[in-house]
Amino acid sequence: MIDRDFTAQLEGYGLTTAEIHYYRPDAPSLLQLFVWQEYDLAPDFPVLFDFLDHWRREIEAALHSVRIAHERQIGPTEWRAVDGIFPLR
């Protein structure tokens, strides 16, 4: 069984980390921090933006800012398909 995260990396996804700064409704003068991490596609970040849309709809905390870091861990030069079977003797 192949790991879902490994398959996503082979499809071009990279590890994305977002620092989400927000204000809670019960403490509007305090800036809070939430760290989110998932595999996503740069530069469009569809997974992150789906999460942020969910945040805006379902969570009462107001967003202040989002800082994004992204790293592709497997690049095209690191992975190549090999056709054939090579017995070890």
Side-chain angles (χ1 to χ4, degrees):
M1 187 163 124
I2 297 176
D3 182 50
R4 177 187 71 88
D5 294 336
F6 180 69
T7 303
Q9 290 178 53
L10 292 178
E11 294 172 355
Y13 284 73
L15 189 60
T16 301
T17 304
E19 289 183 357
I20 301 169
H21 294 90
Y22 65 95
Y23 296 104
R24 291 180 17 193
D26 60 342
S29 63
L30 294 177
L31 188 60
Q32 301 287 314
L33 172 66
F34 178 79
V35 177
W36 175 91
Q37 195 169 53
E38 186 63 63
Y39 286 96
D40 206 350
L41 286 169
D44 296 329
F45 300 108
V47 179
L48 174 60
F49 287 123
D50 284 346
F51 175 75
L52 293 175
D53 287 341
H54 168 78
W55 181 295
R56 287 184 195 105
R57 283 190 322 271
E58 304 296 330
I59 300 174
E60 294 181 17
L63 292 174
H64 173 270
S65 61
V66 178
R67 189 168 85 166
I68 302 169
H70 178 80
E71 176 67 33
R72 281 195 63 192
Q73 296 172 331
I74 296 178
T77 60
E78 299 173 34
W79 169 260
R80 66 183 170 116
V82 176
D83 188 22
I85 298 173
F86 303 98
L88 300 175
R89 296 179 198 219

Short mmCIF file of all heavy atoms in Angstrom, two decimals, residues 29-81:
data_model
loop_
_atom_site.label_atom_id
_atom_site.label_comp_id
_atom_site.label_asym_id
_atom_site.label_seq_id
_atom_site.Cartn_x
_atom_site.Cartn_y
_atom_site.Cartn_z
N SER A 29 -8.43 42.26 21.42
CA SER A 29 -7.16 42.98 21.48
C SER A 29 -5.95 42.04 21.47
O SER A 29 -4.82 42.50 21.41
CB SER A 29 -7.12 43.86 22.74
OG SER A 29 -7.19 43.04 23.89
N LEU A 30 -6.19 40.73 21.51
CA LEU A 30 -5.10 39.75 21.50
C LEU A 30 -4.97 39.12 20.12
O LEU A 30 -5.95 38.64 19.56
CB LEU A 30 -5.35 38.64 22.52
CG LEU A 30 -5.33 39.06 23.99
CD1 LEU A 30 -5.67 37.87 24.87
CD2 LEU A 30 -3.99 39.63 24.38
N LEU A 31 -3.77 39.11 19.61
CA LEU A 31 -3.49 38.47 18.33
C LEU A 31 -3.04 37.03 18.62
O LEU A 31 -2.07 36.81 19.33
CB LEU A 31 -2.41 39.24 17.57
CG LEU A 31 -2.12 38.82 16.15
CD1 LEU A 31 -3.38 38.97 15.29
CD2 LEU A 31 -1.00 39.66 15.58
N GLN A 32 -3.77 36.07 18.08
CA GLN A 32 -3.49 34.65 18.31
C GLN A 32 -2.79 34.06 17.08
O GLN A 32 -2.87 34.62 15.98
CB GLN A 32 -4.80 33.89 18.54
CG GLN A 32 -5.61 34.40 19.72
CD GLN A 32 -4.98 34.01 21.03
OE1 GLN A 32 -4.57 32.87 21.23
NE2 GLN A 32 -4.89 34.96 21.94
N LEU A 33 -2.15 32.91 17.26
CA LEU A 33 -1.44 32.25 16.17
C LEU A 33 -1.91 30.80 16.06
O LEU A 33 -2.01 30.08 17.06
CB LEU A 33 0.07 32.26 16.42
CG LEU A 33 0.94 31.45 15.46
CD1 LEU A 33 0.88 32.02 14.06
CD2 LEU A 33 2.36 31.39 15.96
N PHE A 34 -2.21 30.37 14.83
CA PHE A 34 -2.56 28.99 14.54
C PHE A 34 -1.63 28.53 13.41
O PHE A 34 -1.48 29.23 12.41
CB PHE A 34 -4.03 28.90 14.08
CG PHE A 34 -4.47 27.51 13.70
CD1 PHE A 34 -4.80 26.59 14.67
CD2 PHE A 34 -4.56 27.15 12.37
CE1 PHE A 34 -5.20 25.32 14.33
CE2 PHE A 34 -4.97 25.88 12.01
CZ PHE A 34 -5.30 24.96 13.00
N VAL A 35 -1.00 27.36 13.57
CA VAL A 35 -0.11 26.84 12.54
C VAL A 35 -0.80 25.67 11.84
O VAL A 35 -1.27 24.73 12.50
CB VAL A 35 1.24 26.38 13.13
CG1 VAL A 35 2.13 25.77 12.06
CG2 VAL A 35 1.94 27.55 13.79
N TRP A 36 -0.90 25.76 10.53
CA TRP A 36 -1.56 24.75 9.69
C TRP A 36 -0.53 24.15 8.76
O TRP A 36 0.32 24.87 8.22
CB TRP A 36 -2.67 25.45 8.90
CG TRP A 36 -3.40 24.61 7.90
CD1 TRP A 36 -4.54 23.90 8.12
CD2 TRP A 36 -3.08 24.42 6.53
NE1 TRP A 36 -4.94 23.28 6.97
CE2 TRP A 36 -4.04 23.58 5.97
CE3 TRP A 36 -2.05 24.88 5.71
CZ2 TRP A 36 -4.02 23.19 4.64
CZ3 TRP A 36 -2.02 24.49 4.38
CH2 TRP A 36 -3.01 23.65 3.87
N GLN A 37 -0.58 22.82 8.55
CA GLN A 37 0.38 22.17 7.67
C GLN A 37 -0.31 21.05 6.90
O GLN A 37 -1.02 20.23 7.47
CB GLN A 37 1.54 21.61 8.48
CG GLN A 37 2.74 21.26 7.66
CD GLN A 37 3.93 20.96 8.55
OE1 GLN A 37 3.84 20.14 9.45
NE2 GLN A 37 5.05 21.60 8.28
N GLU A 38 -0.07 21.04 5.57
CA GLU A 38 -0.67 20.03 4.69
C GLU A 38 0.10 20.03 3.38
O GLU A 38 0.82 20.97 3.07
CB GLU A 38 -2.14 20.37 4.46
CG GLU A 38 -2.93 19.35 3.68
CD GLU A 38 -3.03 18.01 4.38
OE1 GLU A 38 -3.61 17.94 5.48
OE2 GLU A 38 -2.51 17.02 3.82
N TYR A 39 -0.06 18.98 2.59
CA TYR A 39 0.53 18.95 1.25
C TYR A 39 -0.37 19.74 0.31
O TYR A 39 -1.59 19.57 0.32
CB TYR A 39 0.71 17.52 0.75
CG TYR A 39 1.86 16.84 1.45
CD1 TYR A 39 1.65 16.03 2.55
CD2 TYR A 39 3.16 17.03 1.01
CE1 TYR A 39 2.71 15.43 3.21
CE2 TYR A 39 4.23 16.43 1.66
CZ TYR A 39 3.99 15.63 2.75
OH TYR A 39 5.05 15.05 3.41
N ASP A 40 0.23 20.62 -0.50
CA ASP A 40 -0.54 21.51 -1.36
C ASP A 40 0.27 21.84 -2.62
O ASP A 40 1.47 21.57 -2.68
CB ASP A 40 -0.88 22.79 -0.60
CG ASP A 40 -2.13 23.46 -1.10
OD1 ASP A 40 -2.67 23.06 -2.14
OD2 ASP A 40 -2.59 24.41 -0.43
N LEU A 41 -0.40 22.40 -3.61
CA LEU A 41 0.23 22.77 -4.88
C LEU A 41 0.52 24.27 -4.91
O LEU A 41 -0.40 25.08 -4.83
CB LEU A 41 -0.70 22.43 -6.05
CG LEU A 41 -0.82 20.97 -6.41
CD1 LEU A 41 -1.96 20.76 -7.40
CD2 LEU A 41 0.48 20.46 -7.00
N ALA A 42 1.79 24.63 -5.04
CA ALA A 42 2.15 26.04 -5.20
C ALA A 42 2.09 26.38 -6.68
O ALA A 42 2.29 25.51 -7.52
CB ALA A 42 3.56 26.27 -4.66
N PRO A 43 1.82 27.55 -7.08
CA PRO A 43 1.59 28.77 -6.31
C PRO A 43 0.12 29.05 -6.01
O PRO A 43 -0.20 30.06 -5.38
CB PRO A 43 2.16 29.86 -7.22
CG PRO A 43 1.83 29.39 -8.59
CD PRO A 43 1.96 27.87 -8.52
N ASP A 44 -0.79 28.16 -6.43
CA ASP A 44 -2.22 28.44 -6.25
C ASP A 44 -2.74 28.04 -4.86
O ASP A 44 -3.73 28.60 -4.40
CB ASP A 44 -3.04 27.73 -7.33
CG ASP A 44 -2.71 28.26 -8.71
OD1 ASP A 44 -2.37 29.45 -8.83
OD2 ASP A 44 -2.77 27.47 -9.67
N PHE A 45 -2.14 27.06 -4.21
CA PHE A 45 -2.50 26.59 -2.87
C PHE A 45 -4.00 26.31 -2.71
O PHE A 45 -4.66 26.88 -1.84
CB PHE A 45 -2.04 27.61 -1.81
CG PHE A 45 -0.57 27.83 -1.82
CD1 PHE A 45 -0.04 29.03 -2.30
CD2 PHE A 45 0.31 26.86 -1.37
CE1 PHE A 45 1.33 29.24 -2.32
CE2 PHE A 45 1.69 27.08 -1.39
CZ PHE A 45 2.19 28.26 -1.86
N PRO A 46 -4.57 25.41 -3.52
CA PRO A 46 -6.01 25.14 -3.41
C PRO A 46 -6.44 24.54 -2.07
O PRO A 46 -7.52 24.87 -1.57
CB PRO A 46 -6.29 24.17 -4.57
CG PRO A 46 -4.96 23.54 -4.87
CD PRO A 46 -3.94 24.60 -4.55
N VAL A 47 -5.61 23.69 -1.47
CA VAL A 47 -5.97 23.08 -0.19
C VAL A 47 -5.99 24.14 0.91
O VAL A 47 -6.92 24.20 1.73
CB VAL A 47 -4.99 21.94 0.16
CG1 VAL A 47 -5.34 21.31 1.49
CG2 VAL A 47 -4.99 20.88 -0.95
N LEU A 48 -4.99 25.00 0.94
CA LEU A 48 -4.94 26.07 1.93
C LEU A 48 -6.12 27.03 1.78
O LEU A 48 -6.77 27.38 2.77
CB LEU A 48 -3.63 26.85 1.82
CG LEU A 48 -3.50 28.10 2.71
CD1 LEU A 48 -3.64 27.75 4.19
CD2 LEU A 48 -2.20 28.82 2.42
N PHE A 49 -6.41 27.44 0.54
CA PHE A 49 -7.51 28.39 0.34
C PHE A 49 -8.86 27.76 0.66
O PHE A 49 -9.77 28.46 1.13
CB PHE A 49 -7.46 29.00 -1.05
CG PHE A 49 -6.35 30.00 -1.20
CD1 PHE A 49 -5.40 29.85 -2.17
CD2 PHE A 49 -6.26 31.08 -0.33
CE1 PHE A 49 -4.36 30.77 -2.29
CE2 PHE A 49 -5.23 32.00 -0.44
CZ PHE A 49 -4.28 31.84 -1.42
N ASP A 50 -9.02 26.45 0.44
CA ASP A 50 -10.25 25.77 0.89
C ASP A 50 -10.37 25.83 2.41
O ASP A 50 -11.45 26.08 2.95
CB ASP A 50 -10.27 24.31 0.43
CG ASP A 50 -10.60 24.16 -1.03
OD1 ASP A 50 -11.07 25.14 -1.66
OD2 ASP A 50 -10.39 23.04 -1.56
N PHE A 51 -9.24 25.61 3.10
CA PHE A 51 -9.26 25.70 4.56
C PHE A 51 -9.58 27.12 5.03
O PHE A 51 -10.40 27.31 5.94
CB PHE A 51 -7.91 25.25 5.14
CG PHE A 51 -7.82 25.44 6.63
CD1 PHE A 51 -8.48 24.58 7.49
CD2 PHE A 51 -7.10 26.50 7.16
CE1 PHE A 51 -8.43 24.78 8.86
CE2 PHE A 51 -7.04 26.69 8.53
CZ PHE A 51 -7.70 25.83 9.38
N LEU A 52 -8.98 28.12 4.39
CA LEU A 52 -9.25 29.51 4.78
C LEU A 52 -10.70 29.90 4.48
O LEU A 52 -11.31 30.66 5.26
CB LEU A 52 -8.28 30.46 4.09
CG LEU A 52 -6.82 30.33 4.53
CD1 LEU A 52 -5.93 31.24 3.69
CD2 LEU A 52 -6.65 30.62 6.01
N ASP A 53 -11.27 29.40 3.40
CA ASP A 53 -12.70 29.64 3.13
C ASP A 53 -13.56 29.03 4.21
O ASP A 53 -14.54 29.63 4.68
CB ASP A 53 -13.09 29.09 1.76
CG ASP A 53 -12.55 29.91 0.61
OD1 ASP A 53 -12.18 31.09 0.85
OD2 ASP A 53 -12.48 29.38 -0.51
N HIS A 54 -13.21 27.81 4.63
CA HIS A 54 -13.93 27.16 5.74
C HIS A 54 -13.80 28.01 7.01
O HIS A 54 -14.78 28.21 7.73
CB HIS A 54 -13.38 25.75 5.98
CG HIS A 54 -13.85 25.14 7.25
ND1 HIS A 54 -15.10 24.60 7.40
CD2 HIS A 54 -13.23 25.00 8.44
CE1 HIS A 54 -15.23 24.14 8.63
NE2 HIS A 54 -14.11 24.37 9.28
N TRP A 55 -12.61 28.51 7.29
CA TRP A 55 -12.38 29.35 8.47
C TRP A 55 -13.30 30.56 8.44
O TRP A 55 -13.95 30.88 9.43
CB TRP A 55 -10.92 29.78 8.48
CG TRP A 55 -10.51 30.63 9.67
CD1 TRP A 55 -10.96 31.87 9.98
CD2 TRP A 55 -9.59 30.27 10.70
NE1 TRP A 55 -10.36 32.34 11.12
CE2 TRP A 55 -9.52 31.38 11.59
CE3 TRP A 55 -8.81 29.16 10.94
CZ2 TRP A 55 -8.70 31.37 12.71
CZ3 TRP A 55 -7.99 29.17 12.06
CH2 TRP A 55 -7.95 30.26 12.93
N ARG A 56 -13.34 31.25 7.30
CA ARG A 56 -14.16 32.47 7.20
C ARG A 56 -15.65 32.17 7.39
O ARG A 56 -16.37 32.98 7.96
CB ARG A 56 -13.94 33.14 5.85
CG ARG A 56 -12.59 33.82 5.74
CD ARG A 56 -12.44 34.55 4.41
NE ARG A 56 -11.05 34.88 4.17
CZ ARG A 56 -10.26 34.26 3.31
NH1 ARG A 56 -10.72 33.27 2.59
NH2 ARG A 56 -9.01 34.62 3.17
N ARG A 57 -16.11 31.01 6.89
CA ARG A 57 -17.53 30.66 6.99
C ARG A 57 -17.92 30.14 8.37
O ARG A 57 -18.98 30.46 8.88
CB ARG A 57 -17.89 29.57 5.96
CG ARG A 57 -18.05 30.03 4.56
CD ARG A 57 -18.63 28.92 3.68
NE ARG A 57 -18.13 27.59 3.97
CZ ARG A 57 -17.04 27.04 3.42
NH1 ARG A 57 -16.34 27.72 2.52
NH2 ARG A 57 -16.66 25.82 3.73
N GLU A 58 -17.07 29.30 8.98
CA GLU A 58 -17.47 28.53 10.15
C GLU A 58 -16.86 28.98 11.48
O GLU A 58 -17.38 28.63 12.53
CB GLU A 58 -17.12 27.05 9.94
CG GLU A 58 -17.71 26.44 8.69
CD GLU A 58 -19.23 26.39 8.71
OE1 GLU A 58 -19.81 26.27 9.80
OE2 GLU A 58 -19.83 26.48 7.62
N ILE A 59 -15.78 29.71 11.44
CA ILE A 59 -15.09 30.10 12.68
C ILE A 59 -15.27 31.59 12.89
O ILE A 59 -15.10 32.38 11.96
CB ILE A 59 -13.59 29.71 12.61
CG1 ILE A 59 -13.47 28.19 12.43
CG2 ILE A 59 -12.85 30.17 13.85
CD1 ILE A 59 -12.07 27.70 12.21
N GLU A 60 -15.63 31.97 14.09
CA GLU A 60 -15.93 33.38 14.37
C GLU A 60 -14.69 34.25 14.53
O GLU A 60 -14.81 35.46 14.61
CB GLU A 60 -16.80 33.46 15.62
CG GLU A 60 -18.17 32.85 15.44
CD GLU A 60 -19.03 32.97 16.68
OE1 GLU A 60 -18.70 33.80 17.55
OE2 GLU A 60 -20.00 32.23 16.76
N ALA A 61 -13.52 33.66 14.57
CA ALA A 61 -12.29 34.44 14.73
C ALA A 61 -11.95 35.15 13.43
O ALA A 61 -11.96 34.55 12.36
CB ALA A 61 -11.15 33.52 15.15
N ALA A 62 -11.63 36.44 13.53
CA ALA A 62 -11.30 37.24 12.35
C ALA A 62 -9.83 37.06 11.97
O ALA A 62 -8.94 37.17 12.81
CB ALA A 62 -11.59 38.72 12.63
N LEU A 63 -9.59 36.80 10.70
CA LEU A 63 -8.23 36.64 10.22
C LEU A 63 -7.51 38.00 10.19
O LEU A 63 -8.07 38.99 9.78
CB LEU A 63 -8.22 36.05 8.82
CG LEU A 63 -8.69 34.61 8.70
CD1 LEU A 63 -8.78 34.21 7.24
CD2 LEU A 63 -7.75 33.68 9.44
N HIS A 64 -6.26 37.99 10.62
CA HIS A 64 -5.42 39.18 10.54
C HIS A 64 -4.44 39.05 9.38
O HIS A 64 -4.35 39.92 8.53
CB HIS A 64 -4.66 39.37 11.86
CG HIS A 64 -3.63 40.46 11.81
ND1 HIS A 64 -2.34 40.23 11.43
CD2 HIS A 64 -3.72 41.77 12.10
CE1 HIS A 64 -1.66 41.37 11.48
NE2 HIS A 64 -2.48 42.32 11.88
N SER A 65 -3.69 37.92 9.33
CA SER A 65 -2.71 37.70 8.28
C SER A 65 -2.39 36.22 8.18
O SER A 65 -2.61 35.46 9.12
CB SER A 65 -1.44 38.51 8.54
OG SER A 65 -0.86 38.10 9.76
N VAL A 66 -1.84 35.84 7.02
CA VAL A 66 -1.42 34.46 6.79
C VAL A 66 -0.05 34.51 6.14
O VAL A 66 0.15 35.20 5.14
CB VAL A 66 -2.41 33.71 5.87
CG1 VAL A 66 -1.93 32.30 5.59
CG2 VAL A 66 -3.81 33.71 6.46
N ARG A 67 0.90 33.79 6.72
CA ARG A 67 2.25 33.68 6.15
C ARG A 67 2.46 32.24 5.71
O ARG A 67 2.21 31.31 6.47
CB ARG A 67 3.29 34.08 7.19
CG ARG A 67 4.68 34.21 6.60
CD ARG A 67 5.60 34.88 7.56
NE ARG A 67 6.15 33.88 8.46
CZ ARG A 67 7.19 34.09 9.24
NH1 ARG A 67 7.76 35.27 9.26
NH2 ARG A 67 7.64 33.14 10.01
N ILE A 68 2.91 32.06 4.45
CA ILE A 68 2.98 30.73 3.85
C ILE A 68 4.44 30.36 3.56
O ILE A 68 5.21 31.17 3.04
CB ILE A 68 2.20 30.70 2.52
CG1 ILE A 68 0.74 31.09 2.75
CG2 ILE A 68 2.29 29.33 1.87
CD1 ILE A 68 -0.02 31.32 1.47
N ALA A 69 4.79 29.11 3.88
CA ALA A 69 6.08 28.53 3.49
C ALA A 69 5.76 27.23 2.74
O ALA A 69 4.85 26.49 3.12
CB ALA A 69 6.94 28.24 4.71
N HIS A 70 6.51 26.98 1.67
CA HIS A 70 6.23 25.80 0.84
C HIS A 70 7.53 25.16 0.40
O HIS A 70 8.48 25.85 0.03
CB HIS A 70 5.41 26.22 -0.39
CG HIS A 70 5.12 25.10 -1.32
ND1 HIS A 70 4.12 24.19 -1.10
CD2 HIS A 70 5.71 24.73 -2.48
CE1 HIS A 70 4.09 23.32 -2.09
NE2 HIS A 70 5.06 23.63 -2.94
N GLU A 71 7.59 23.83 0.41
CA GLU A 71 8.79 23.12 -0.01
C GLU A 71 8.38 21.84 -0.74
O GLU A 71 7.68 21.00 -0.18
CB GLU A 71 9.65 22.75 1.20
CG GLU A 71 10.87 21.92 0.88
CD GLU A 71 11.90 22.68 0.06
OE1 GLU A 71 12.03 23.90 0.23
OE2 GLU A 71 12.57 22.03 -0.75
N ARG A 72 8.83 21.73 -2.01
CA ARG A 72 8.65 20.47 -2.74
C ARG A 72 9.76 19.55 -2.29
O ARG A 72 10.93 19.85 -2.45
CB ARG A 72 8.72 20.69 -4.24
CG ARG A 72 7.43 21.23 -4.78
CD ARG A 72 7.34 21.13 -6.27
NE ARG A 72 7.36 19.72 -6.68
CZ ARG A 72 7.53 19.34 -7.92
NH1 ARG A 72 7.73 20.22 -8.86
NH2 ARG A 72 7.52 18.07 -8.23
N GLN A 73 9.39 18.41 -1.75
CA GLN A 73 10.40 17.51 -1.20
C GLN A 73 10.93 16.51 -2.23
O GLN A 73 12.01 15.98 -2.09
CB GLN A 73 9.83 16.80 0.02
CG GLN A 73 9.53 17.81 1.11
CD GLN A 73 8.80 17.22 2.28
OE1 GLN A 73 8.06 16.27 2.14
NE2 GLN A 73 8.99 17.80 3.44
N ILE A 74 10.14 16.24 -3.25
CA ILE A 74 10.59 15.37 -4.33
C ILE A 74 10.47 16.15 -5.62
O ILE A 74 9.39 16.59 -5.99
CB ILE A 74 9.75 14.09 -4.42
CG1 ILE A 74 9.91 13.25 -3.16
CG2 ILE A 74 10.14 13.28 -5.66
CD1 ILE A 74 9.08 12.00 -3.15
N GLY A 75 11.59 16.37 -6.28
CA GLY A 75 11.58 17.10 -7.54
C GLY A 75 11.75 16.17 -8.72
O GLY A 75 12.06 14.99 -8.56
N PRO A 76 11.59 16.67 -9.93
CA PRO A 76 11.69 15.83 -11.12
C PRO A 76 13.05 15.17 -11.28
O PRO A 76 13.14 14.09 -11.83
CB PRO A 76 11.42 16.78 -12.27
CG PRO A 76 11.02 18.07 -11.69
CD PRO A 76 11.27 18.04 -10.23
N THR A 77 14.12 15.79 -10.83
CA THR A 77 15.44 15.19 -10.98
C THR A 77 15.71 14.09 -9.96
O THR A 77 16.63 13.31 -10.11
CB THR A 77 16.54 16.25 -10.86
OG1 THR A 77 16.44 16.86 -9.56
CG2 THR A 77 16.43 17.30 -11.93
N GLU A 78 14.89 14.03 -8.92
CA GLU A 78 15.10 13.04 -7.87
C GLU A 78 14.30 11.77 -8.11
O GLU A 78 14.53 10.76 -7.47
CB GLU A 78 14.69 13.62 -6.52
CG GLU A 78 15.51 14.84 -6.14
CD GLU A 78 14.96 15.48 -4.89
OE1 GLU A 78 14.45 14.77 -4.02
OE2 GLU A 78 15.02 16.70 -4.80
N TRP A 79 13.34 11.79 -9.00
CA TRP A 79 12.45 10.66 -9.21
C TRP A 79 12.38 10.36 -10.70
O TRP A 79 12.18 11.24 -11.50
CB TRP A 79 11.06 10.98 -8.67
CG TRP A 79 10.03 9.99 -9.08
CD1 TRP A 79 9.14 10.11 -10.09
CD2 TRP A 79 9.79 8.72 -8.50
NE1 TRP A 79 8.37 8.99 -10.18
CE2 TRP A 79 8.74 8.11 -9.21
CE3 TRP A 79 10.37 8.01 -7.45
CZ2 TRP A 79 8.25 6.86 -8.89
CZ3 TRP A 79 9.87 6.76 -7.14
CH2 TRP A 79 8.83 6.20 -7.85
N ARG A 80 12.58 9.11 -11.04
CA ARG A 80 12.36 8.70 -12.42
C ARG A 80 11.85 7.27 -12.42
O ARG A 80 12.28 6.44 -11.60
CB ARG A 80 13.62 8.84 -13.25
CG ARG A 80 14.74 7.94 -12.87
CD ARG A 80 15.97 8.22 -13.71
NE ARG A 80 17.05 7.47 -13.13
CZ ARG A 80 17.68 6.48 -13.74
NH1 ARG A 80 17.37 6.15 -14.96
NH2 ARG A 80 18.64 5.83 -13.12
N ALA A 81 10.95 6.99 -13.31
CA ALA A 81 10.39 5.65 -13.42
C ALA A 81 11.40 4.76 -14.12
O ALA A 81 12.04 5.14 -15.09
CB ALA A 81 9.08 5.69 -14.18
#
